[in-house]
Amino acid sequence: MQAQYTSQHFQELIQSIMEVVNIGKELREDQSGINMSYNFIGDYVSFDPSRLLKANDELTHRVSIEEYVKAITIHELGHAMDRDALLASLTRTFEIFDLKESHTFDEFYADQTLMSVLIEEHEMNIVFEETAWKNAEKLNRLYQLVEEESFHLIKEHSLSTYRKLYQEDLEHFQKLQSVPSLQPA
């Protein structure tokens, strides 16, 4: 990691954004491989300094790491603004988690009913992501934290990862649906 982009640097930047928008959350550093995340059960934001740098490098257009961190921070705070909806989904989220724990990857991808659960999970996640980005847009308009073009690029890149995985699974699900199931005679 470049010397000026230490964990402390990211922590101070993220904390300063929380102060500006007046949404204070506990901040935790982790090494999860996820750039930033909002844990709605624990009501805290976590960040992985190494992944923040790598994720910023994956953007198709150059955006400063500071702009990237600001945008992702207000996105995570956008999730926090939607915490009630996230908590309302908890029962179904646990049901899906348990189902995923009790079946293999191959079982999911061979069974229409199990695949429909993955599609449902993707759709839930996309709605939550889009809502968080809408909330982040409101924060950005109000506080002018990230230049609009950079914000849009970061948002679209972030959403594209969810949409791509959804589209891949949806296409597989549609193929499963087109194959007649074998019925016992």
Side-chain angles (χ1 to χ4, degrees), residues 76-153:
E76 296 308 334
L77 296 175
H79 281 301
M81 293 166 66
D82 193 35
R83 185 172 187 231
D84 289 342
L86 291 163
L87 288 169
S89 75
L90 197 55
T91 300
R92 184 62 180 149
T93 299
F94 281 139
E95 291 170 355
I96 292 170
F97 177 82
D98 289 342
L99 200 57
K100 288 170 84 173
E101 288 290 306
S102 63
H103 294 280
T104 66
F105 178 87
D106 289 339
E107 289 173 325
F108 266 92
Y109 282 81
D111 183 275
Q112 284 185 39
T113 303
L114 292 174
M115 273 305 295
S116 71
V117 172
L118 287 184
I119 298 305
E120 176 189 357
E121 181 182 40
H122 281 302
E123 290 170 349
M124 283 174 35
N125 288 338
I126 288 170
V127 167
F128 289 132
E129 289 301 310
E130 288 173 344
T131 300
W133 279 112
K134 285 177 187 171
N135 290 338
E137 284 176 313
K138 291 174 188 172
L139 290 172
N140 199 47
R141 272 195 304 278
L142 187 60
Y143 296 101
Q144 302 289 303
L145 297 165
V146 181
E147 186 273 321
E148 191 173 326
E149 185 178 341
S150 295
F151 183 89
H152 180 73
L153 289 169

